[in-house]
């Protein structure tokens, strides 16, 4: 099994989180900021924010398939790209949000070509 840089980074973050949990359980002070594999300090709120972006991307993409796909599709794509760039611990959810955002735009293009208008309705 080959590991890419993302897998290595995820395993390093998981190990750091496990070490921090062990230190808290033992009553020892944990490090204030976990470090990324490249040695750059990464704060826990930034990772949590990236995880939130990944979840929001997924939700926007899913809802965008049904309504407001002109707005929610591009928003889902942007949020997924930001989450992946910031190193989310949920890359699968971010990639799924990216795919759903693209699907939103494909559905919109199909509906526009079928009706020859930007507005569409079911039925």
């Amino acid at each position: 099994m080959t590991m890419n840089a993302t897998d290595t980074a995820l395993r390093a973050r998981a190990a750091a989180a496990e070490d921090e949990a062990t230190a808290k359980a033992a009553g020892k002070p944990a490090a204030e900021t976990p470090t990324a594999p490249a040695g750059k300090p990464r704060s826990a709120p930034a990772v949590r924010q990236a995880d939130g972006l990944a979840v929001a991307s997924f939700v926007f993409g899913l809802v965008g398939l049904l309504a407001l796909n002109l707005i929610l599709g591009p928003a889902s794509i942007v949020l997924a790209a930001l989450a992946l760039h910031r190193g989310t611990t949920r890359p699968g959810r971010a990639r799924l949000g990216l795919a759903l955002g693209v699907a939103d735009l494909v559905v919109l293009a199909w509906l526009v070509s079928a009706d020859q208008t930007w507005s569409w309705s079911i039925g």
Side-chain angles (χ1 to χ4, degrees), residues 57-58 60-62 64-65 69-78 80 94-108:
S57 170
F58 172 72
F60 280 10
L62 198 59
L65 287 174
N69 44 6
L70 180 63
I71 297 168
L72 295 178
S76 177
I77 293 169
V78 169
R95 288 185 194 111
L96 188 58
L98 182 66
L100 286 170
V102 171
D104 290 348
L105 296 180
V106 169
V107 167
L108 177 66

Side-chain angles (χ1 to χ4, degrees), residues 26-114:
K28 298 177 184 174
E32 291 181 24
T33 57
T35 58
K40 297 178 185 175
R42 178 166 307 259
S43 63
V47 172
R48 256 184 281 155
Q49 184 182 22
D51 290 347
L53 289 172
V55 172
S57 170
F58 172 72
V59 171
F60 280 10
L62 198 59
V63 172
L65 287 174
L66 303 173
L68 297 173
N69 44 6
L70 180 63
I71 297 168
L72 295 178
S76 177
I77 293 169
V78 169
L79 290 175
L82 282 172
L84 290 170
H85 178 71
R86 291 182 181 179
T88 181
T89 58
R90 300 176 179 198
R93 184 141 320 150
R95 288 185 194 111
L96 188 58
L98 182 66
L100 286 170
V102 171
D104 290 348
L105 296 180
V106 169
V107 167
L108 177 66
W110 178 73
L111 291 170
V112 166
S113 68

